[in-house]
Tab-separated table of all heavy atoms in Angstrom:
chain	number	residue	atom	x	y	z
L	168	SER	N	16.403	8.135	-7.438
L	168	SER	CA	17.490	8.559	-8.309
L	168	SER	C	16.999	9.619	-9.286
L	168	SER	O	15.802	9.830	-9.468
L	168	SER	CB	18.055	7.363	-9.077
L	168	SER	OG	17.063	6.802	-9.924
L	169	ALA	N	17.970	10.259	-9.923
L	169	ALA	CA	17.704	11.243	-10.966
L	169	ALA	C	18.949	11.333	-11.835
L	169	ALA	O	20.058	11.007	-11.393
L	169	ALA	CB	17.375	12.606	-10.374
L	170	GLU	N	18.776	11.759	-13.071
L	170	GLU	CA	19.907	11.971	-13.967
L	170	GLU	C	19.963	13.435	-14.366
L	170	GLU	O	18.936	14.055	-14.646
L	170	GLU	CB	19.806	11.088	-15.214
L	170	GLU	CG	20.083	9.622	-14.933
L	170	GLU	CD	20.210	8.794	-16.199
L	170	GLU	OE1	19.948	9.342	-17.310
L	170	GLU	OE2	20.578	7.613	-16.105
L	171	ILE	N	21.174	13.985	-14.381
L	171	ILE	CA	21.377	15.363	-14.785
L	171	ILE	C	22.522	15.438	-15.790
L	171	ILE	O	23.322	14.504	-15.916
L	171	ILE	CB	21.695	16.285	-13.583
L	171	ILE	CG1	23.053	15.918	-12.971
L	171	ILE	CG2	20.589	16.227	-12.545
L	171	ILE	CD1	23.540	16.924	-11.929
L	172	LEU	N	22.598	16.549	-16.498
L	172	LEU	CA	23.774	16.903	-17.278
L	172	LEU	C	24.538	17.940	-16.468
L	172	LEU	O	24.017	19.040	-16.198
L	172	LEU	CB	23.371	17.471	-18.641
L	172	LEU	CG	22.607	16.525	-19.565
L	172	LEU	CD1	22.256	17.230	-20.871
L	172	LEU	CD2	23.421	15.256	-19.849
L	173	ARG	N	25.748	17.595	-16.055
L	173	ARG	CA	26.486	18.492	-15.159
L	173	ARG	C	26.762	19.843	-15.824
L	173	ARG	O	26.866	20.875	-15.140
L	173	ARG	CB	27.785	17.831	-14.695
L	173	ARG	CG	28.758	17.461	-15.788
L	173	ARG	CD	29.925	16.628	-15.254
L	173	ARG	NE	30.861	16.240	-16.287
L	173	ARG	CZ	31.927	16.948	-16.648
L	173	ARG	NH1	32.192	18.101	-16.052
L	173	ARG	NH2	32.743	16.524	-17.596
L	174	SER	N	26.859	19.860	-17.145
L	174	SER	CA	27.098	21.122	-17.848
L	174	SER	C	25.964	22.116	-17.634
L	174	SER	O	26.176	23.335	-17.735
L	174	SER	CB	27.309	20.864	-19.337
L	174	SER	OG	26.172	20.235	-19.912
L	175	ASP	N	24.762	21.620	-17.345
L	175	ASP	CA	23.634	22.516	-17.081
L	175	ASP	C	23.871	23.363	-15.836
L	175	ASP	O	23.239	24.413	-15.662
L	175	ASP	CB	22.336	21.721	-16.916
L	175	ASP	CG	21.811	21.168	-18.232
L	175	ASP	OD1	22.257	21.637	-19.294
L	175	ASP	OD2	20.950	20.274	-18.186
L	176	TRP	N	24.743	22.897	-14.961
L	176	TRP	CA	25.073	23.635	-13.737
L	176	TRP	C	26.474	24.235	-13.807
L	176	TRP	O	27.060	24.572	-12.778
L	176	TRP	CB	24.944	22.720	-12.521
L	176	TRP	CG	23.527	22.563	-12.070
L	176	TRP	CD1	22.881	23.300	-11.110
L	176	TRP	CD2	22.553	21.632	-12.560
L	176	TRP	NE1	21.581	22.881	-10.973
L	176	TRP	CE2	21.348	21.853	-11.856
L	176	TRP	CE3	22.584	20.626	-13.524
L	176	TRP	CZ2	20.193	21.120	-12.082
L	176	TRP	CZ3	21.429	19.895	-13.768
L	176	TRP	CH2	20.251	20.140	-13.055
L	177	GLY	N	27.025	24.348	-15.004
L	177	GLY	CA	28.321	24.992	-15.176
L	177	GLY	C	29.519	24.124	-14.851
L	177	GLY	O	30.651	24.632	-14.762
L	178	LEU	N	29.319	22.822	-14.680
L	178	LEU	CA	30.432	21.901	-14.405
L	178	LEU	C	30.907	21.331	-15.743
L	178	LEU	O	30.492	20.255	-16.163
L	178	LEU	CB	29.987	20.793	-13.456
L	178	LEU	CG	29.394	21.258	-12.117
L	178	LEU	CD1	28.911	20.077	-11.300
L	178	LEU	CD2	30.412	22.076	-11.332
L	179	THR	N	31.784	22.040	-16.405
L	179	THR	CA	32.121	21.714	-17.791
L	179	THR	C	33.539	21.200	-17.986
L	179	THR	O	33.913	20.856	-19.111
L	179	THR	CB	31.923	22.955	-18.680
L	179	THR	OG1	32.734	24.031	-18.178
L	179	THR	CG2	30.461	23.381	-18.680
L	180	TRP	N	34.344	21.134	-16.929
L	180	TRP	CA	35.741	20.694	-17.118
L	180	TRP	C	35.790	19.306	-17.758
L	180	TRP	O	34.982	18.425	-17.422
L	180	TRP	CB	36.478	20.637	-15.786
L	180	TRP	CG	37.928	20.248	-15.954
L	180	TRP	CD1	38.990	21.094	-16.120
L	180	TRP	CD2	38.465	18.920	-15.988
L	180	TRP	NE1	40.147	20.371	-16.272
L	180	TRP	CE2	39.862	19.028	-16.199
L	180	TRP	CE3	37.909	17.647	-15.884
L	180	TRP	CZ2	40.700	17.931	-16.282
L	180	TRP	CZ3	38.737	16.537	-15.987
L	180	TRP	CH2	40.111	16.674	-16.170
L	181	ASN	N	36.744	19.116	-18.669
L	181	ASN	CA	36.941	17.814	-19.286
L	181	ASN	C	38.320	17.743	-19.914
L	181	ASN	O	39.040	18.749	-19.974
L	181	ASN	CB	35.865	17.529	-20.335
L	181	ASN	CG	35.274	16.136	-20.165
L	181	ASN	OD1	35.993	15.183	-19.866
L	181	ASN	ND2	33.964	16.027	-20.356
L	182	ALA	N	38.668	16.572	-20.388
L	182	ALA	CA	39.929	16.349	-21.094
L	182	ALA	C	39.663	15.349	-22.206
L	182	ALA	O	38.971	14.348	-22.004
L	182	ALA	CB	41.008	15.830	-20.154
L	183	ALA	N	40.218	15.628	-23.388
L	183	ALA	CA	40.018	14.747	-24.537
L	183	ALA	C	40.919	13.521	-24.436
L	183	ALA	O	42.059	13.598	-23.962
L	183	ALA	CB	40.316	15.500	-25.828
L	184	LEU	N	40.404	12.371	-24.875
L	184	LEU	CA	41.174	11.137	-24.914
L	184	LEU	C	41.804	10.957	-26.294
L	184	LEU	O	41.205	11.337	-27.310
L	184	LEU	CB	40.268	9.948	-24.595
L	184	LEU	CG	39.563	9.971	-23.238
L	184	LEU	CD1	38.602	8.789	-23.131
L	184	LEU	CD2	40.573	9.971	-22.093
L	185	GLU	N	42.985	10.371	-26.339
L	185	GLU	CA	43.672	10.179	-27.612
L	185	GLU	C	42.855	9.332	-28.580
L	185	GLU	O	42.846	9.571	-29.792
L	185	GLU	CB	45.034	9.512	-27.384
L	185	GLU	CG	46.059	10.420	-26.716
L	185	GLU	CD	47.418	9.749	-26.632
L	185	GLU	OE1	47.580	8.665	-27.238
L	185	GLU	OE2	48.316	10.311	-25.970
L	186	ALA	N	42.162	8.337	-28.068
L	186	ALA	CA	41.385	7.438	-28.924
L	186	ALA	C	40.007	8.006	-29.268
L	186	ALA	O	39.217	7.365	-29.953
L	186	ALA	CB	41.231	6.079	-28.257
L	187	GLY	N	39.725	9.211	-28.792
L	187	GLY	CA	38.421	9.810	-29.000
L	187	GLY	C	37.591	9.782	-27.733
L	187	GLY	O	37.800	8.952	-26.846
L	188	GLY	N	36.661	10.701	-27.643
L	188	GLY	CA	35.847	10.781	-26.438
L	188	GLY	C	36.478	11.690	-25.407
L	188	GLY	O	37.487	12.371	-25.659
L	189	VAL	N	35.899	11.694	-24.216
L	189	VAL	CA	36.363	12.590	-23.150
L	189	VAL	C	36.564	11.818	-21.855
L	189	VAL	O	36.087	10.700	-21.683
L	189	VAL	CB	35.349	13.727	-22.922
L	189	VAL	CG1	35.303	14.658	-24.131
L	189	VAL	CG2	33.967	13.178	-22.618
L	190	MET	N	37.278	12.445	-20.941
L	190	MET	CA	37.612	11.802	-19.671
L	190	MET	C	36.386	11.604	-18.775
L	190	MET	O	36.227	10.545	-18.152
L	190	MET	CB	38.640	12.654	-18.928
L	190	MET	CG	39.088	12.080	-17.594
L	190	MET	SD	40.090	10.595	-17.778
L	190	MET	CE	41.615	11.326	-18.400
L	191	VAL	N	35.512	12.599	-18.713
L	191	VAL	CA	34.366	12.559	-17.798
L	191	VAL	C	33.078	12.810	-18.578
L	191	VAL	O	32.981	13.792	-19.309
L	191	VAL	CB	34.501	13.606	-16.672
L	191	VAL	CG1	33.366	13.458	-15.663
L	191	VAL	CG2	35.857	13.497	-15.978
L	192	SER	N	32.101	11.940	-18.404
L	192	SER	CA	30.843	12.123	-19.130
L	192	SER	C	30.076	13.320	-18.586
L	192	SER	O	30.261	13.733	-17.433
L	192	SER	CB	29.973	10.870	-19.028
L	192	SER	OG	29.450	10.728	-17.727
L	193	ASP	N	29.223	13.862	-19.438
L	193	ASP	CA	28.372	14.973	-19.014
L	193	ASP	C	27.227	14.465	-18.144
L	193	ASP	O	26.810	15.133	-17.197
L	193	ASP	CB	27.832	15.695	-20.242
L	193	ASP	CG	27.177	17.029	-19.916
L	193	ASP	OD1	27.442	17.581	-18.832
L	193	ASP	OD2	26.399	17.518	-20.750
L	194	LYS	N	26.731	13.277	-18.441
L	194	LYS	CA	25.597	12.720	-17.694
L	194	LYS	C	26.043	12.182	-16.339
L	194	LYS	O	27.030	11.441	-16.242
L	194	LYS	CB	24.922	11.619	-18.502
L	194	LYS	CG	23.670	11.065	-17.843
L	194	LYS	CD	22.900	10.143	-18.773
L	194	LYS	CE	23.635	8.853	-19.047
L	194	LYS	NZ	22.809	7.917	-19.852
L	195	VAL	N	25.312	12.531	-15.322
L	195	VAL	CA	25.598	12.081	-13.958
L	195	VAL	C	24.315	11.509	-13.356
L	195	VAL	O	23.249	12.119	-13.467
L	195	VAL	CB	26.107	13.237	-13.071
L	195	VAL	CG1	26.394	12.735	-11.649
L	195	VAL	CG2	27.345	13.877	-13.685
Side-chain angles (χ1 to χ4, degrees):
S168 63
E170 287 190 353
I171 66 171
L172 298 179
R173 60 188 179 91
S174 60
D175 287 344
W176 280 267
L178 304 176
T179 57
W180 183 92
N181 227 321
L184 301 175
E185 289 185 9
V189 293
M190 181 69 73
V191 185
S192 72
D193 192 19
K194 185 170 69 175
V195 180

